Amino acid sequence: MMWDTGMGAGMGWMWLFWILLIVGTVVLVVVLVKAFTGGSTDGSRQGGSAPATGALPRRSRQILEERYARGEISTEEYNERLRTLEDGDR
């Protein structure tokens, strides 16, 4: 009689162990995937707020000015892209 009770309790713990092992593995995989993919970059999925409407054109203009200063784009291309950005602001 005593052997049966001990064996039943052992099987219950075995089920609990496997369930926790599977849940832990799934959590580990999710964390690793988020870590290697960088998670969400726009902040909208994590409850963050989107950048202000004026922030994107300012950042775009800053990038454009940096590229022009480094000589990556010509004066004509700079002026054309600047006009495009300014038209998008309106």
Side-chain angles (χ1 to χ4, degrees), residues 41-69:
T41 56
D42 63 357
S44 61
R45 290 186 187 173
Q46 298 176 355
S49 61
T53 308
L56 290 176
R58 271 183 283 159
R59 179 66 183 137
S60 300
R61 185 176 180 142
Q62 181 182 6
I63 292 170
L64 182 62
E65 290 171 352
E66 290 170 1
R67 290 188 65 200
Y68 180 65

Side-chain angles (χ1 to χ4, degrees), residues 1-16:
M1 283 293 199
M2 193 173 207
W3 180 257
D4 292 335
T5 305
M7 194 66 158
M11 292 300 285
W13 287 111
M14 180 84 68
W15 279 104
L16 181 63

Side-chain angles (χ1 to χ4, degrees), residues 9-45:
M11 292 300 285
W13 287 111
M14 180 84 68
W15 279 104
L16 181 63
F17 169 78
W18 284 109
I19 289 171
L20 290 175
L21 184 68
I22 291 169
V23 168
T25 303
V26 169
V27 169
L28 180 65
V29 167
V30 168
V31 168
L32 289 175
V33 166
K34 283 191 174 190
F36 284 113
T37 60
S40 177
T41 56
D42 63 357
S44 61
R45 290 186 187 173

